[in-house]
Amino acid sequence: LKRKHVTLQKLWEEYIEENPAGYSRSQFCENFNSWSKSCELTMHLEHKAGDKMFVDFAGKKFYLTDRISGDKKSVETFVAILPASHNTFVCATQTQKTEDWINGSQKAFRYFGGSTKAIVPDCYKSAVTRFNRYDPEINPEYSHFAKHYNTVILPARPAHPKDKALVES
């Protein structure tokens, strides 16, 4: 396949060829830039069943209330989703530490009825010790968990929530 690069200059040249009395190049570029900022380009991804499980902790904390004393205790919310079916699992954990990542992932596998080929977490230190696009360093405990379930950890890129948009929603 040969890639065709399209520049703004080329777009303007094609536009002016079809519209000789059209916008000047500077006006065309200004309008194009305004238009491109107003639309967010996205691509639909087809997910295969059983391929990946996206996991994350929800940003908002919830509270459990003791029925006897009335004391409220804040909890973290672990969320796992299968992107092909949108089947979702949610549970409360005490923290976002490695143990809670593992317990949440294990409970999700039980809920879904099996493990997936890959788990896609955020780059929390509890799951990913050091991020590298080609060779990330996975927390040893989480890595051992993945090996036990015959799955791999494929961390999402830092500051790229679209890598696992379904669980972010």
mmCIF file with all atom_site columns, all heavy atoms in Angstrom, residues 6-29:
data_model
loop_
_atom_site.group_PDB
_atom_site.id
_atom_site.type_symbol
_atom_site.label_atom_id
_atom_site.label_alt_id
_atom_site.label_comp_id
_atom_site.label_asym_id
_atom_site.label_entity_id
_atom_site.label_seq_id
_atom_site.pdbx_PDB_ins_code
_atom_site.Cartn_x
_atom_site.Cartn_y
_atom_site.Cartn_z
_atom_site.occupancy
_atom_site.B_iso_or_equiv
_atom_site.pdbx_formal_charge
_atom_site.auth_seq_id
_atom_site.auth_comp_id
_atom_site.auth_asym_id
_atom_site.auth_atom_id
_atom_site.pdbx_PDB_model_num
ATOM 1   N N   . VAL A 1 6  ? -1.700  14.187 2.538   1.00 0.00 ? 6  VAL A N   1
ATOM 2   C CA  . VAL A 1 6  ? -2.483  15.344 2.112   1.00 0.00 ? 6  VAL A CA  1
ATOM 3   C C   . VAL A 1 6  ? -2.115  16.508 3.012   1.00 0.00 ? 6  VAL A C   1
ATOM 4   O O   . VAL A 1 6  ? -2.240  16.426 4.233   1.00 0.00 ? 6  VAL A O   1
ATOM 5   C CB  . VAL A 1 6  ? -3.995  15.053 2.204   1.00 0.00 ? 6  VAL A CB  1
ATOM 6   C CG1 . VAL A 1 6  ? -4.801  16.267 1.795   1.00 0.00 ? 6  VAL A CG1 1
ATOM 7   C CG2 . VAL A 1 6  ? -4.366  13.864 1.333   1.00 0.00 ? 6  VAL A CG2 1
ATOM 8   N N   . THR A 1 7  ? -1.671  17.568 2.412   1.00 0.00 ? 7  THR A N   1
ATOM 9   C CA  . THR A 1 7  ? -1.317  18.762 3.171   1.00 0.00 ? 7  THR A CA  1
ATOM 10  C C   . THR A 1 7  ? -2.431  19.785 3.017   1.00 0.00 ? 7  THR A C   1
ATOM 11  O O   . THR A 1 7  ? -3.282  19.693 2.119   1.00 0.00 ? 7  THR A O   1
ATOM 12  C CB  . THR A 1 7  ? -0.004  19.373 2.660   1.00 0.00 ? 7  THR A CB  1
ATOM 13  O OG1 . THR A 1 7  ? -0.196  19.782 1.299   1.00 0.00 ? 7  THR A OG1 1
ATOM 14  C CG2 . THR A 1 7  ? 1.140   18.370 2.755   1.00 0.00 ? 7  THR A CG2 1
ATOM 15  N N   . LEU A 1 8  ? -2.415  20.773 3.872   1.00 0.00 ? 8  LEU A N   1
ATOM 16  C CA  . LEU A 1 8  ? -3.382  21.861 3.780   1.00 0.00 ? 8  LEU A CA  1
ATOM 17  C C   . LEU A 1 8  ? -3.210  22.612 2.462   1.00 0.00 ? 8  LEU A C   1
ATOM 18  O O   . LEU A 1 8  ? -4.190  23.030 1.844   1.00 0.00 ? 8  LEU A O   1
ATOM 19  C CB  . LEU A 1 8  ? -3.201  22.792 4.982   1.00 0.00 ? 8  LEU A CB  1
ATOM 20  C CG  . LEU A 1 8  ? -4.400  23.613 5.429   1.00 0.00 ? 8  LEU A CG  1
ATOM 21  C CD1 . LEU A 1 8  ? -5.663  22.799 5.526   1.00 0.00 ? 8  LEU A CD1 1
ATOM 22  C CD2 . LEU A 1 8  ? -4.100  24.285 6.747   1.00 0.00 ? 8  LEU A CD2 1
ATOM 23  N N   . GLN A 1 9  ? -1.979  22.747 2.028   1.00 0.00 ? 9  GLN A N   1
ATOM 24  C CA  . GLN A 1 9  ? -1.692  23.387 0.740   1.00 0.00 ? 9  GLN A CA  1
ATOM 25  C C   . GLN A 1 9  ? -2.381  22.621 -0.392  1.00 0.00 ? 9  GLN A C   1
ATOM 26  O O   . GLN A 1 9  ? -3.020  23.207 -1.253  1.00 0.00 ? 9  GLN A O   1
ATOM 27  C CB  . GLN A 1 9  ? -0.181  23.460 0.506   1.00 0.00 ? 9  GLN A CB  1
ATOM 28  C CG  . GLN A 1 9  ? 0.220   24.026 -0.854  1.00 0.00 ? 9  GLN A CG  1
ATOM 29  C CD  . GLN A 1 9  ? -0.107  25.508 -1.011  1.00 0.00 ? 9  GLN A CD  1
ATOM 30  O OE1 . GLN A 1 9  ? -0.119  26.262 -0.044  1.00 0.00 ? 9  GLN A OE1 1
ATOM 31  N NE2 . GLN A 1 9  ? -0.385  25.938 -2.230  1.00 0.00 ? 9  GLN A NE2 1
ATOM 32  N N   . LYS A 1 10 ? -2.252  21.304 -0.384  1.00 0.00 ? 10 LYS A N   1
ATOM 33  C CA  . LYS A 1 10 ? -2.853  20.461 -1.425  1.00 0.00 ? 10 LYS A CA  1
ATOM 34  C C   . LYS A 1 10 ? -4.384  20.575 -1.394  1.00 0.00 ? 10 LYS A C   1
ATOM 35  O O   . LYS A 1 10 ? -5.026  20.680 -2.445  1.00 0.00 ? 10 LYS A O   1
ATOM 36  C CB  . LYS A 1 10 ? -2.405  18.992 -1.216  1.00 0.00 ? 10 LYS A CB  1
ATOM 37  C CG  . LYS A 1 10 ? -2.952  18.040 -2.234  1.00 0.00 ? 10 LYS A CG  1
ATOM 38  C CD  . LYS A 1 10 ? -2.254  18.203 -3.554  1.00 0.00 ? 10 LYS A CD  1
ATOM 39  C CE  . LYS A 1 10 ? -2.710  17.116 -4.506  1.00 0.00 ? 10 LYS A CE  1
ATOM 40  N NZ  . LYS A 1 10 ? -2.468  17.433 -5.888  1.00 0.00 ? 10 LYS A NZ  1
ATOM 41  N N   . LEU A 1 11 ? -4.941  20.581 -0.192  1.00 0.00 ? 11 LEU A N   1
ATOM 42  C CA  . LEU A 1 11 ? -6.402  20.734 -0.075  1.00 0.00 ? 11 LEU A CA  1
ATOM 43  C C   . LEU A 1 11 ? -6.856  22.068 -0.660  1.00 0.00 ? 11 LEU A C   1
ATOM 44  O O   . LEU A 1 11 ? -7.867  22.147 -1.366  1.00 0.00 ? 11 LEU A O   1
ATOM 45  C CB  . LEU A 1 11 ? -6.836  20.628 1.400   1.00 0.00 ? 11 LEU A CB  1
ATOM 46  C CG  . LEU A 1 11 ? -6.784  19.256 2.028   1.00 0.00 ? 11 LEU A CG  1
ATOM 47  C CD1 . LEU A 1 11 ? -7.113  19.356 3.516   1.00 0.00 ? 11 LEU A CD1 1
ATOM 48  C CD2 . LEU A 1 11 ? -7.735  18.294 1.342   1.00 0.00 ? 11 LEU A CD2 1
ATOM 49  N N   . TRP A 1 12 ? -6.115  23.136 -0.338  1.00 0.00 ? 12 TRP A N   1
ATOM 50  C CA  . TRP A 1 12 ? -6.480  24.457 -0.859  1.00 0.00 ? 12 TRP A CA  1
ATOM 51  C C   . TRP A 1 12 ? -6.365  24.484 -2.390  1.00 0.00 ? 12 TRP A C   1
ATOM 52  O O   . TRP A 1 12 ? -7.228  25.037 -3.068  1.00 0.00 ? 12 TRP A O   1
ATOM 53  C CB  . TRP A 1 12 ? -5.613  25.551 -0.245  1.00 0.00 ? 12 TRP A CB  1
ATOM 54  C CG  . TRP A 1 12 ? -5.941  26.911 -0.794  1.00 0.00 ? 12 TRP A CG  1
ATOM 55  C CD1 . TRP A 1 12 ? -7.047  27.668 -0.524  1.00 0.00 ? 12 TRP A CD1 1
ATOM 56  C CD2 . TRP A 1 12 ? -5.184  27.640 -1.765  1.00 0.00 ? 12 TRP A CD2 1
ATOM 57  N NE1 . TRP A 1 12 ? -7.015  28.837 -1.246  1.00 0.00 ? 12 TRP A NE1 1
ATOM 58  C CE2 . TRP A 1 12 ? -5.875  28.844 -2.021  1.00 0.00 ? 12 TRP A CE2 1
ATOM 59  C CE3 . TRP A 1 12 ? -3.991  27.403 -2.436  1.00 0.00 ? 12 TRP A CE3 1
ATOM 60  C CZ2 . TRP A 1 12 ? -5.418  29.799 -2.914  1.00 0.00 ? 12 TRP A CZ2 1
ATOM 61  C CZ3 . TRP A 1 12 ? -3.529  28.369 -3.315  1.00 0.00 ? 12 TRP A CZ3 1
ATOM 62  C CH2 . TRP A 1 12 ? -4.248  29.543 -3.552  1.00 0.00 ? 12 TRP A CH2 1
ATOM 63  N N   . GLU A 1 13 ? -5.310  23.890 -2.926  1.00 0.00 ? 13 GLU A N   1
ATOM 64  C CA  . GLU A 1 13 ? -5.123  23.858 -4.385  1.00 0.00 ? 13 GLU A CA  1
ATOM 65  C C   . GLU A 1 13 ? -6.282  23.132 -5.074  1.00 0.00 ? 13 GLU A C   1
ATOM 66  O O   . GLU A 1 13 ? -6.790  23.587 -6.097  1.00 0.00 ? 13 GLU A O   1
ATOM 67  C CB  . GLU A 1 13 ? -3.791  23.190 -4.740  1.00 0.00 ? 13 GLU A CB  1
ATOM 68  C CG  . GLU A 1 13 ? -2.589  24.055 -4.420  1.00 0.00 ? 13 GLU A CG  1
ATOM 69  C CD  . GLU A 1 13 ? -1.259  23.313 -4.557  1.00 0.00 ? 13 GLU A CD  1
ATOM 70  O OE1 . GLU A 1 13 ? -1.254  22.122 -4.950  1.00 0.00 ? 13 GLU A OE1 1
ATOM 71  O OE2 . GLU A 1 13 ? -0.216  23.930 -4.256  1.00 0.00 ? 13 GLU A OE2 1
ATOM 72  N N   . GLU A 1 14 ? -6.700  22.011 -4.508  1.00 0.00 ? 14 GLU A N   1
ATOM 73  C CA  . GLU A 1 14 ? -7.832  21.277 -5.076  1.00 0.00 ? 14 GLU A CA  1
ATOM 74  C C   . GLU A 1 14 ? -9.118  22.097 -4.957  1.00 0.00 ? 14 GLU A C   1
ATOM 75  O O   . GLU A 1 14 ? -9.943  22.133 -5.868  1.00 0.00 ? 14 GLU A O   1
ATOM 76  C CB  . GLU A 1 14 ? -7.995  19.922 -4.386  1.00 0.00 ? 14 GLU A CB  1
ATOM 77  C CG  . GLU A 1 14 ? -6.892  18.939 -4.737  1.00 0.00 ? 14 GLU A CG  1
ATOM 78  C CD  . GLU A 1 14 ? -6.999  17.640 -3.949  1.00 0.00 ? 14 GLU A CD  1
ATOM 79  O OE1 . GLU A 1 14 ? -7.958  17.469 -3.157  1.00 0.00 ? 14 GLU A OE1 1
ATOM 80  O OE2 . GLU A 1 14 ? -6.113  16.787 -4.142  1.00 0.00 ? 14 GLU A OE2 1
ATOM 81  N N   . TYR A 1 15 ? -9.289  22.770 -3.805  1.00 0.00 ? 15 TYR A N   1
ATOM 82  C CA  . TYR A 1 15 ? -10.470 23.606 -3.589  1.00 0.00 ? 15 TYR A CA  1
ATOM 83  C C   . TYR A 1 15 ? -10.510 24.756 -4.602  1.00 0.00 ? 15 TYR A C   1
ATOM 84  O O   . TYR A 1 15 ? -11.534 25.015 -5.219  1.00 0.00 ? 15 TYR A O   1
ATOM 85  C CB  . TYR A 1 15 ? -10.442 24.150 -2.150  1.00 0.00 ? 15 TYR A CB  1
ATOM 86  C CG  . TYR A 1 15 ? -11.357 25.326 -1.918  1.00 0.00 ? 15 TYR A CG  1
ATOM 87  C CD1 . TYR A 1 15 ? -12.732 25.157 -1.792  1.00 0.00 ? 15 TYR A CD1 1
ATOM 88  C CD2 . TYR A 1 15 ? -10.851 26.619 -1.835  1.00 0.00 ? 15 TYR A CD2 1
ATOM 89  C CE1 . TYR A 1 15 ? -13.563 26.243 -1.586  1.00 0.00 ? 15 TYR A CE1 1
ATOM 90  C CE2 . TYR A 1 15 ? -11.671 27.708 -1.630  1.00 0.00 ? 15 TYR A CE2 1
ATOM 91  C CZ  . TYR A 1 15 ? -13.032 27.509 -1.513  1.00 0.00 ? 15 TYR A CZ  1
ATOM 92  O OH  . TYR A 1 15 ? -13.862 28.592 -1.316  1.00 0.00 ? 15 TYR A OH  1
ATOM 93  N N   . ILE A 1 16 ? -9.389  25.451 -4.796  1.00 0.00 ? 16 ILE A N   1
ATOM 94  C CA  . ILE A 1 16 ? -9.342  26.621 -5.686  1.00 0.00 ? 16 ILE A CA  1
ATOM 95  C C   . ILE A 1 16 ? -9.516  26.201 -7.141  1.00 0.00 ? 16 ILE A C   1
ATOM 96  O O   . ILE A 1 16 ? -10.052 26.954 -7.960  1.00 0.00 ? 16 ILE A O   1
ATOM 97  C CB  . ILE A 1 16 ? -8.063  27.464 -5.445  1.00 0.00 ? 16 ILE A CB  1
ATOM 98  C CG1 . ILE A 1 16 ? -8.350  28.979 -5.546  1.00 0.00 ? 16 ILE A CG1 1
ATOM 99  C CG2 . ILE A 1 16 ? -6.966  27.161 -6.407  1.00 0.00 ? 16 ILE A CG2 1
ATOM 100 C CD1 . ILE A 1 16 ? -9.298  29.539 -4.612  1.00 0.00 ? 16 ILE A CD1 1
ATOM 101 N N   . GLU A 1 17 ? -9.100  24.970 -7.461  1.00 0.00 ? 17 GLU A N   1
ATOM 102 C CA  . GLU A 1 17 ? -9.283  24.446 -8.815  1.00 0.00 ? 17 GLU A CA  1
ATOM 103 C C   . GLU A 1 17 ? -10.775 24.282 -9.127  1.00 0.00 ? 17 GLU A C   1
ATOM 104 O O   . GLU A 1 17 ? -11.221 24.585 -10.226 1.00 0.00 ? 17 GLU A O   1
ATOM 105 C CB  . GLU A 1 17 ? -8.564  23.088 -8.927  1.00 0.00 ? 17 GLU A CB  1
ATOM 106 C CG  . GLU A 1 17 ? -8.391  22.601 -10.360 1.00 0.00 ? 17 GLU A CG  1
ATOM 107 C CD  . GLU A 1 17 ? -7.547  21.338 -10.392 1.00 0.00 ? 17 GLU A CD  1
ATOM 108 O OE1 . GLU A 1 17 ? -6.353  21.417 -10.061 1.00 0.00 ? 17 GLU A OE1 1
ATOM 109 O OE2 . GLU A 1 17 ? -8.118  20.285 -10.737 1.00 0.00 ? 17 GLU A OE2 1
ATOM 110 N N   . GLU A 1 18 ? -11.519 23.839 -8.117  1.00 0.00 ? 18 GLU A N   1
ATOM 111 C CA  . GLU A 1 18 ? -12.968 23.661 -8.296  1.00 0.00 ? 18 GLU A CA  1
ATOM 112 C C   . GLU A 1 18 ? -13.738 24.958 -8.072  1.00 0.00 ? 18 GLU A C   1
ATOM 113 O O   . GLU A 1 18 ? -14.846 25.115 -8.573  1.00 0.00 ? 18 GLU A O   1
ATOM 114 C CB  . GLU A 1 18 ? -13.489 22.593 -7.324  1.00 0.00 ? 18 GLU A CB  1
ATOM 115 C CG  . GLU A 1 18 ? -13.045 21.192 -7.654  1.00 0.00 ? 18 GLU A CG  1
ATOM 116 C CD  . GLU A 1 18 ? -13.592 20.172 -6.660  1.00 0.00 ? 18 GLU A CD  1
ATOM 117 O OE1 . GLU A 1 18 ? -14.603 20.463 -5.991  1.00 0.00 ? 18 GLU A OE1 1
ATOM 118 O OE2 . GLU A 1 18 ? -12.989 19.089 -6.558  1.00 0.00 ? 18 GLU A OE2 1
ATOM 119 N N   . ASN A 1 19 ? -13.180 25.888 -7.301  1.00 0.00 ? 19 ASN A N   1
ATOM 120 C CA  . ASN A 1 19 ? -13.834 27.161 -6.968  1.00 0.00 ? 19 ASN A CA  1
ATOM 121 C C   . ASN A 1 19 ? -12.866 28.317 -7.210  1.00 0.00 ? 19 ASN A C   1
ATOM 122 O O   . ASN A 1 19 ? -12.325 28.877 -6.248  1.00 0.00 ? 19 ASN A O   1
ATOM 123 C CB  . ASN A 1 19 ? -14.273 27.166 -5.496  1.00 0.00 ? 19 ASN A CB  1
ATOM 124 C CG  . ASN A 1 19 ? -15.151 25.998 -5.148  1.00 0.00 ? 19 ASN A CG  1
ATOM 125 O OD1 . ASN A 1 19 ? -16.305 25.949 -5.525  1.00 0.00 ? 19 ASN A OD1 1
ATOM 126 N ND2 . ASN A 1 19 ? -14.594 25.032 -4.426  1.00 0.00 ? 19 ASN A ND2 1
ATOM 127 N N   . PRO A 1 20 ? -12.637 28.705 -8.466  1.00 0.00 ? 20 PRO A N   1
ATOM 128 C CA  . PRO A 1 20 ? -11.641 29.737 -8.771  1.00 0.00 ? 20 PRO A CA  1
ATOM 129 C C   . PRO A 1 20 ? -11.862 31.066 -8.036  1.00 0.00 ? 20 PRO A C   1
ATOM 130 O O   . PRO A 1 20 ? -10.903 31.763 -7.729  1.00 0.00 ? 20 PRO A O   1
ATOM 131 C CB  . PRO A 1 20 ? -11.780 29.930 -10.277 1.00 0.00 ? 20 PRO A CB  1
ATOM 132 C CG  . PRO A 1 20 ? -12.411 28.683 -10.772 1.00 0.00 ? 20 PRO A CG  1
ATOM 133 C CD  . PRO A 1 20 ? -13.260 28.165 -9.670  1.00 0.00 ? 20 PRO A CD  1
ATOM 134 N N   . ALA A 1 21 ? -13.107 31.397 -7.733  1.00 0.00 ? 21 ALA A N   1
ATOM 135 C CA  . ALA A 1 21 ? -13.377 32.651 -7.018  1.00 0.00 ? 21 ALA A CA  1
ATOM 136 C C   . ALA A 1 21 ? -13.525 32.410 -5.518  1.00 0.00 ? 21 ALA A C   1
ATOM 137 O O   . ALA A 1 21 ? -14.064 33.246 -4.798  1.00 0.00 ? 21 ALA A O   1
ATOM 138 C CB  . ALA A 1 21 ? -14.652 33.287 -7.570  1.00 0.00 ? 21 ALA A CB  1
ATOM 139 N N   . GLY A 1 22 ? -13.014 31.277 -5.033  1.00 0.00 ? 22 GLY A N   1
ATOM 140 C CA  . GLY A 1 22 ? -13.178 30.898 -3.623  1.00 0.00 ? 22 GLY A CA  1
ATOM 141 C C   . GLY A 1 22 ? -12.278 31.665 -2.679  1.00 0.00 ? 22 GLY A C   1
ATOM 142 O O   . GLY A 1 22 ? -11.692 32.688 -3.034  1.00 0.00 ? 22 GLY A O   1
ATOM 143 N N   . TYR A 1 23 ? -12.165 31.135 -1.463  1.00 0.00 ? 23 TYR A N   1
ATOM 144 C CA  . TYR A 1 23 ? -11.388 31.764 -0.407  1.00 0.00 ? 23 TYR A CA  1
ATOM 145 C C   . TYR A 1 23 ? -9.905  31.868 -0.778  1.00 0.00 ? 23 TYR A C   1
ATOM 146 O O   . TYR A 1 23 ? -9.365  31.014 -1.466  1.00 0.00 ? 23 TYR A O   1
ATOM 147 C CB  . TYR A 1 23 ? -11.471 30.948 0.891   1.00 0.00 ? 23 TYR A CB  1
ATOM 148 C CG  . TYR A 1 23 ? -12.843 30.899 1.504   1.00 0.00 ? 23 TYR A CG  1
ATOM 149 C CD1 . TYR A 1 23 ? -13.501 29.676 1.677   1.00 0.00 ? 23 TYR A CD1 1
ATOM 150 C CD2 . TYR A 1 23 ? -13.480 32.049 1.946   1.00 0.00 ? 23 TYR A CD2 1
ATOM 151 C CE1 . TYR A 1 23 ? -14.747 29.615 2.263   1.00 0.00 ? 23 TYR A CE1 1
ATOM 152 C CE2 . TYR A 1 23 ? -14.734 32.006 2.523   1.00 0.00 ? 23 TYR A CE2 1
ATOM 153 C CZ  . TYR A 1 23 ? -15.362 30.778 2.689   1.00 0.00 ? 23 TYR A CZ  1
ATOM 154 O OH  . TYR A 1 23 ? -16.601 30.729 3.262   1.00 0.00 ? 23 TYR A OH  1
ATOM 155 N N   . SER A 1 24 ? -9.257  32.897 -0.230  1.00 0.00 ? 24 SER A N   1
ATOM 156 C CA  . SER A 1 24 ? -7.800  32.993 -0.357  1.00 0.00 ? 24 SER A CA  1
ATOM 157 C C   . SER A 1 24 ? -7.191  31.862 0.490   1.00 0.00 ? 24 SER A C   1
ATOM 158 O O   . SER A 1 24 ? -7.870  31.260 1.318   1.00 0.00 ? 24 SER A O   1
ATOM 159 C CB  . SER A 1 24 ? -7.318  34.343 0.163   1.00 0.00 ? 24 SER A CB  1
ATOM 160 O OG  . SER A 1 24 ? -7.531  34.418 1.574   1.00 0.00 ? 24 SER A OG  1
ATOM 161 N N   . ARG A 1 25 ? -5.920  31.576 0.285   1.00 0.00 ? 25 ARG A N   1
ATOM 162 C CA  . ARG A 1 25 ? -5.290  30.481 1.018   1.00 0.00 ? 25 ARG A CA  1
ATOM 163 C C   . ARG A 1 25 ? -5.356  30.715 2.522   1.00 0.00 ? 25 ARG A C   1
ATOM 164 O O   . ARG A 1 25 ? -5.679  29.811 3.290   1.00 0.00 ? 25 ARG A O   1
ATOM 165 C CB  . ARG A 1 25 ? -3.828  30.308 0.588   1.00 0.00 ? 25 ARG A CB  1
ATOM 166 C CG  . ARG A 1 25 ? -3.181  29.102 1.259   1.00 0.00 ? 25 ARG A CG  1
ATOM 167 C CD  . ARG A 1 25 ? -1.706  28.961 0.889   1.00 0.00 ? 25 ARG A CD  1
ATOM 168 N NE  . ARG A 1 25 ? -1.131  27.784 1.491   1.00 0.00 ? 25 ARG A NE  1
ATOM 169 C CZ  . ARG A 1 25 ? -0.839  27.650 2.777   1.00 0.00 ? 25 ARG A CZ  1
ATOM 170 N NH1 . ARG A 1 25 ? -1.084  28.637 3.617   1.00 0.00 ? 25 ARG A NH1 1
ATOM 171 N NH2 . ARG A 1 25 ? -0.296  26.535 3.234   1.00 0.00 ? 25 ARG A NH2 1
ATOM 172 N N   . SER A 1 26 ? -5.073  31.943 2.963   1.00 0.00 ? 26 SER A N   1
ATOM 173 C CA  . SER A 1 26 ? -5.079  32.236 4.402   1.00 0.00 ? 26 SER A CA  1
ATOM 174 C C   . SER A 1 26 ? -6.484  32.075 4.995   1.00 0.00 ? 26 SER A C   1
ATOM 175 O O   . SER A 1 26 ? -6.651  31.535 6.090   1.00 0.00 ? 26 SER A O   1
ATOM 176 C CB  . SER A 1 26 ? -4.529  33.632 4.683   1.00 0.00 ? 26 SER A CB  1
ATOM 177 O OG  . SER A 1 26 ? -5.314  34.611 4.043   1.00 0.00 ? 26 SER A OG  1
ATOM 178 N N   . GLN A 1 27 ? -7.516  32.537 4.260   1.00 0.00 ? 27 GLN A N   1
ATOM 179 C CA  . GLN A 1 27 ? -8.894  32.408 4.744   1.00 0.00 ? 27 GLN A CA  1
ATOM 180 C C   . GLN A 1 27 ? -9.307  30.929 4.762   1.00 0.00 ? 27 GLN A C   1
ATOM 181 O O   . GLN A 1 27 ? -9.957  30.472 5.693   1.00 0.00 ? 27 GLN A O   1
ATOM 182 C CB  . GLN A 1 27 ? -9.858  33.217 3.862   1.00 0.00 ? 27 GLN A CB  1
ATOM 183 C CG  . GLN A 1 27 ? -11.283 33.255 4.381   1.00 0.00 ? 27 GLN A CG  1
ATOM 184 C CD  . GLN A 1 27 ? -11.390 33.981 5.717   1.00 0.00 ? 27 GLN A CD  1
ATOM 185 O OE1 . GLN A 1 27 ? -10.863 35.069 5.890   1.00 0.00 ? 27 GLN A OE1 1
ATOM 186 N NE2 . GLN A 1 27 ? -12.067 33.361 6.669   1.00 0.00 ? 27 GLN A NE2 1
ATOM 187 N N   . PHE A 1 28 ? -8.899  30.185 3.732   1.00 0.00 ? 28 PHE A N   1
ATOM 188 C CA  . PHE A 1 28 ? -9.197  28.749 3.656   1.00 0.00 ? 28 PHE A CA  1
ATOM 189 C C   . PHE A 1 28 ? -8.588  28.032 4.865   1.00 0.00 ? 28 PHE A C   1
ATOM 190 O O   . PHE A 1 28 ? -9.247  27.232 5.526   1.00 0.00 ? 28 PHE A O   1
ATOM 191 C CB  . PHE A 1 28 ? -8.648  28.160 2.350   1.00 0.00 ? 28 PHE A CB  1
ATOM 192 C CG  . PHE A 1 28 ? -8.864  26.677 2.217   1.00 0.00 ? 28 PHE A CG  1
ATOM 193 C CD1 . PHE A 1 28 ? -10.062 26.182 1.722   1.00 0.00 ? 28 PHE A CD1 1
ATOM 194 C CD2 . PHE A 1 28 ? -7.867  25.781 2.587   1.00 0.00 ? 28 PHE A CD2 1
ATOM 195 C CE1 . PHE A 1 28 ? -10.265 24.817 1.597   1.00 0.00 ? 28 PHE A CE1 1
ATOM 196 C CE2 . PHE A 1 28 ? -8.066  24.417 2.471   1.00 0.00 ? 28 PHE A CE2 1
ATOM 197 C CZ  . PHE A 1 28 ? -9.267  23.931 1.977   1.00 0.00 ? 28 PHE A CZ  1
ATOM 198 N N   . CYS A 1 29 ? -7.310  28.338 5.162   1.00 0.00 ? 29 CYS A N   1
ATOM 199 C CA  . CYS A 1 29 ? -6.620  27.709 6.289   1.00 0.00 ? 29 CYS A CA  1
ATOM 200 C C   . CYS A 1 29 ? -7.283  28.064 7.615   1.00 0.00 ? 29 CYS A C   1
ATOM 201 O O   . CYS A 1 29 ? -7.444  27.207 8.488   1.00 0.00 ? 29 CYS A O   1
ATOM 202 C CB  . CYS A 1 29 ? -5.151  28.115 6.311   1.00 0.00 ? 29 CYS A CB  1
ATOM 203 S SG  . CYS A 1 29 ? -4.214  27.432 4.931   1.00 0.00 ? 29 CYS A SG  1
#
